[in-house]
């Protein structure tokens, strides 16, 4: 018999990441309650969950049969391998080669498995359409940004009998991404009990994506679910069998982010509920950065601009790609000049009017090099004029190793889409942007960033525009009243930031804002401790270490 080889790249394209048997056994043991239970494994791959299900049914005194064990997978090679593996163990199962969204089988007591994880740009065409339509029929309206697992989760539940159980390995995106709001709402209204199992160690060492276990019990297709969910946190797969404390979290709205359930902090909630804090959207209007379509062509160092003979008619000041230089809370004209002298790309080629002769030559060179055919370039006219948002008063970092940072744009530089911009509202008039940037560097905002944003590959904290708008920051009135202590604190904060002591710098800002007086020293320490825990957990997972720092 010829052995079928399933290349890793082929598995990656269809979002197939095979599950450790111990994980499948844990979910099967939870989901299967009786010897006669029926089980479906969607996207069955190598049937690791069906294998675990057969073992569980046998332990309960049953005789696993094909009528009880069902699997479906789009990939014919995987189904053939699954059939061979099950047959070698003496296990009978009914396996089907089919798109899961086309699958029509009898309702089962338990659906268990590891849905494919394909990001929205790869989950397209008829597959996306069928998934979205099937999820909508179940009552969940998914956005165009939803990855494949979201539709799989909703549709998997529809294959359950009333009272059935859903046990899935899902990306931790369930907790935090905006497009998963519909999935979060659906789970709470459709199941009487929802439990999440979270890991400190990475479950799939070769995959950066963080995963969790969804254990949803008591399916109610017509509603009658729960307003809360449970959370159990373990260090690694080896700890699944160990009894751990379970906490319960009730979101204000079912679709709200579930990230705060990782580490609830009553003191932080007290600050958020007070008049002392609001949202970043209350400071002004958040803007997206410029999308050039070809940064290497449009973002230039001063040296390169001089070599090309470009003039002020051709280029405008630019906050260079990246955000390391924005951690110092203010970007002055002198700072921008120093960055340019060091070779940073501090100029944006985007002639607002007619280009200079040197600019025209550079445009022709770009056309010869094919830059004008890049998608973002060819859909605008002229292709070489990059649309720019209004000059921002503050720049807001997008990807963060430590925490989100705001930087006063004193240089009046344009910015790319690697950062967000904030144009201050009239209500903020009279407050120097540097003080706003400084005020945002406090412990409550840092914890709010962990709750509002989400962990990204490598352990970075990512804030999309909508998430950045919701970032908790001191109210404008609080910043005005604390203007003098903030001014006095600024030199010390900059010194600490330069030394890499961001946490110590936040403590100085906390004191200048009077946060200790607002919630007490113990409350402030609780906020700092919770933020340390979440940041350490995020960073440790990014490194792939075995455990995160304990609270």
């Amino acid at each position: 018999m010829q052995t079928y080889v399933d290349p890793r790249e082929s598995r990656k394209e269809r979002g197939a990441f095979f599950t450790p048997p111990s994980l499948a056994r844990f979910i099967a043991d939870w989901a299967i309650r009786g010897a006669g239970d029926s089980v479906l494994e969607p996207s069955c791959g190598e049937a690791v969950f069906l294998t675990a299900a057969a073992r569980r049914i046998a332990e309960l005194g049953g005789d696993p049969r094909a009528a009880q064990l069902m699997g479906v997978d789009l990939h014919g090679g995987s189904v053939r391998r699954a059939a061979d593996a099950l047959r070698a163990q003496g296990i009978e199962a009914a396996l089907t080669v089919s798109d899961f969204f086309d699958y029509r089988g009898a309702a089962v007591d338990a659906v268990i498995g590891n849905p494919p994880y394909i990001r929205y740009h790869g989950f397209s065409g008829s597959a996306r359409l069928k998934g979205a339509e099937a999820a909508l029929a179940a009552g969940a309206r998914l956005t165009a940004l939803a990855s494949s697992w979201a539709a799989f989760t909703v549709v998997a539940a529809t294959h359950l009998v009333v009272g059935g159980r859903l046990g899935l390995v899902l990306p931790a995106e369930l907790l935090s991404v905006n497009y998963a709001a519909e999935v979060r709402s659906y789970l709470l209204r459709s199941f009487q009990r929802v439990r999440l199992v979270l890991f400190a160690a990475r479950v799939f060492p070769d995959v950066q994506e963080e995963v969790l276990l969804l254990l949803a019990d008591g399916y109610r297709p017509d509603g009658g679910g729960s307003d809360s969910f449970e959370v159990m946190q373990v260090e690694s797969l080896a700890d699944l069998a160990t009894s751990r404390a379970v906490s319960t979290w009730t979101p204000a709205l079912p679709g709200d982010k579930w990230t705060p359930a990782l580490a609830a902090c009553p003191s932080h909630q007290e600050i958020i509920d007070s008049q002392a804090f609001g949202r970043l959207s209350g400071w002004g209007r958040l803007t997206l950065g410029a999308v050039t379509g070809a940064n290497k062509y449009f973002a230039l160092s001063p040296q390169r601009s001089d070599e090309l003979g470009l003039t002020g008619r051709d280029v405008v000041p630019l906050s260079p790609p990246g955000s390391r230089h924005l951690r110092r809370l203010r970007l002055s004209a002198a700072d921008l000049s120093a960055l340019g002298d060091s070779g940073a790309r501090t100029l944006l080629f985007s002639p607002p009017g007619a280009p200079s002769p040197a600019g025209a030559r550079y445009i022709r060179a770009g056309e010869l090099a094919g830059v004008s055919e890049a998608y973002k370039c060819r859909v605008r006219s002229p292709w070489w004029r990059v649309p720019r948002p209004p000059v921002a008063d503050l720049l807001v970092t997008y990807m963060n190793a430590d925490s989100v940072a705001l930087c006063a744009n004193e240089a009046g530089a344009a910015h790319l889409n690697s950062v967000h911009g904030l144009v201050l509202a009239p209500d903020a008039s009279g407050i120097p942007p540097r003080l706003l940037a400084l005020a945002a560097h406090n412990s409550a905002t840092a914890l709010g960033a962990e709750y509002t944003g989400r962990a990204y590959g490598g352990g970075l904290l990512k804030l999309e525009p909508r998430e950045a708008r919701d970032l908790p920051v001191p109210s404008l009135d609080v910043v005005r009243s604390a203007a003098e202590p903030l001014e006095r604190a600024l030199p010390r904060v900059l010194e600490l930031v330069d030394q890499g002591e961001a946490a110590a710098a936040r403590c100085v800002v906390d004191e200048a804002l009077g946060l200790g007086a607002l919630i007490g020293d113990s409350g402030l320490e609780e906020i700092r401790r919770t933020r340390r825990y979440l940041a350490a957990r995020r960073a440790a997972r990014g490194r792939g270490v075995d455990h995160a720092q304990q609270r």
Side-chain angles (χ1 to χ4, degrees):
M1 180 179 66
Q2 183 177 7
T3 301
Y4 175 79
V5 178
D6 191 6
R8 185 180 187 278
E9 284 306 311
S10 175
R11 298 199 308 269
K12 183 177 179 181
E13 285 179 7
R14 64 180 192 273
F17 300 101
F18 298 136
T19 310
S22 60
L23 192 56
R25 285 196 298 270
F26 175 82
I27 292 178
D29 289 351
W30 169 84
I32 300 171
R33 312 282 171 83
D37 280 357
S38 54
V39 181
L40 170 65
E41 181 181 358
S43 188
C44 62
E46 294 184 328
V48 63
F49 284 90
L50 289 178
T51 300
R55 180 195 59 81
R56 173 63 171 167
I57 290 171
E59 287 178 351
L60 293 172
D63 181 17
R65 304 178 308 279
Q68 285 180 272
L69 302 175
M70 287 147 278
V72 57
D73 200 293
L74 178 66
H75 190 244
S78 292
V79 171
R80 290 192 293 275
R81 286 201 300 169
D84 290 341
L86 292 170
R87 193 178 301 112
Q89 301 174 75
I91 299 172
E92 295 182 4
L95 303 182
T96 303
V97 179
S98 172
D99 186 322
F100 181 56
F101 302 127
D102 291 329
Y103 176 73
R104 301 292 182 268
V108 297
D109 297 293
V111 176
I112 58 177
N114 183 0
Y117 178 67
I118 308 172
R119 292 191 183 275
Y120 72 93
H121 48 72
F123 183 49
S124 58
S126 61
R128 171 180 291 282
L129 180 61
K130 284 191 288 190
E133 289 178 344
L136 182 60
R141 186 183 296 275
L142 301 178
T143 74
L145 296 178
S147 298
S148 59
W149 68 267
F152 259 80
T153 301
V154 173
V155 175
T158 67
H159 288 271
L160 290 169
V161 299
V162 174
R165 297 165 293 282
L166 182 65
L168 300 177
V169 182
L170 296 180
E173 288 183 351
L174 172 67
L175 301 173
S176 59
V177 296
N178 295 325
Y179 75 72
E182 277 287 294
V183 182
R184 295 189 287 266
S185 295
Y186 176 81
L187 291 172
L188 288 185
R189 69 172 176 266
S190 302
F191 288 90
Q192 292 181 310
R193 185 179 181 186
V194 175
R195 174 176 290 188
L196 306 179
V197 180
L198 308 175
F199 299 91
R202 193 178 291 169
V203 175
F204 298 93
D206 296 331
V207 181
Q208 281 194 331
E209 187 63 41
E210 179 181 356
V211 303
L212 55 78
L213 305 187
L214 167 68
L215 308 177
D217 195 352
Y219 177 56
R220 291 292 184 272
D222 297 325
S226 175
D227 61 355
S228 63
F229 61 94
E230 300 173 342
V231 175
M232 182 173 76
Q233 300 194 53
V234 299
E235 291 297 313
S236 66
L237 288 177
D239 298 311
L240 278 174
T242 305
S243 177
R244 294 298 178 103
V246 176
S247 60
T248 300
W249 180 261
T250 303
L253 295 172
D256 284 354
K257 292 194 177 190
W258 290 0
T259 315
L262 293 174
C265 183
S267 297
H268 187 261
Q269 191 60 50
E270 181 181 343
I271 275 191
I272 299 306
D273 292 340
S274 73
Q275 297 297 312
F277 267 65
R279 302 293 176 183
L280 186 60
S281 57
W283 282 11
R285 177 169 59 89
L286 206 72
T287 65
L288 301 177
V291 179
T292 69
N295 279 358
K296 289 183 178 179
Y297 175 85
F298 288 100
L300 303 170
S301 68
Q303 297 92 327
R304 177 59 176 157
S305 178
D306 289 343
E307 290 172 3
L308 295 168
L310 300 178
T311 71
R313 291 167 54 183
D314 305 311
V315 295
V316 295
L318 174 70
S319 175
S323 62
R324 183 181 299 273
H325 59 286
L326 303 180
R327 306 293 165 174
R328 295 198 75 251
L329 307 179
R330 52 196 306 191
L331 179 66
S332 67
D335 295 329
L336 199 63
S337 178
L339 286 167
D341 290 343
S342 69
R345 292 180 286 168
T346 57
L347 296 173
L348 178 68
F349 180 76
S350 182
S356 70
R361 288 193 296 272
Y362 190 53
I363 290 170
R364 287 194 293 274
E367 291 168 346
L368 291 173
V371 178
S372 58
E373 295 305 310
Y375 174 71
K376 289 294 183 180
C377 298
R378 72 172 184 264
V379 298
R380 63 183 180 231
S381 181
W383 70 267
W384 41 265
R385 183 172 294 144
V386 178
R388 287 179 280 129
V391 173
D393 298 297
L394 291 160
L395 300 175
V396 184
T397 57
Y398 177 40
M399 303 286 280
N400 308 275
D402 177 66
S403 188
V404 65
L406 273 66
C407 179
N409 185 17
E410 296 174 353
H415 64 286
L416 300 177
N417 64 339
S418 55
V419 297
H420 308 311
L422 186 71
V423 178
L424 293 176
D427 289 349
S429 62
I431 305 178
R434 67 179 181 278
L435 293 190
L436 291 169
L438 179 61
H441 194 79
N442 67 81
S443 297
T445 296
L447 176 55
E450 298 292 337
Y451 285 153
T452 305
R454 66 183 179 96
Y456 198 63
L460 294 175
L461 177 65
K462 180 179 181 180
L463 268 78
E464 299 285 1
R466 179 176 168 184
E467 295 161 342
R469 292 185 188 101
D470 289 337
L471 184 72
V473 291
S475 71
L476 294 173
D477 287 342
V478 165
V479 178
R480 283 193 182 92
S481 64
E484 289 187 10
L486 285 171
E487 286 282 16
R488 291 195 297 270
L490 182 57
R492 177 56 177 158
V493 170
L494 292 177
E495 180 183 8
L496 289 168
V497 168
D498 286 342
Q499 294 170 357
E501 299 291 342
R506 283 193 288 270
C507 291
V508 175
V509 177
D510 292 345
E511 183 177 356
L513 290 171
L515 297 191
L518 181 64
I519 57 168
D521 290 341
S522 60
L524 188 53
E525 181 51 38
E526 180 188 40
I527 288 172
R528 293 168 179 166
R529 185 173 64 249
T530 306
R531 186 262 160 199
R532 284 196 302 271
Y533 166 72
L534 290 175
R537 184 180 188 277
R538 166 172 56 80
R541 296 186 60 81
R543 295 191 300 270
V545 301
D546 289 336
H547 57 83
Q549 176 180 323
Q550 297 300 303
R551 291 179 69 180

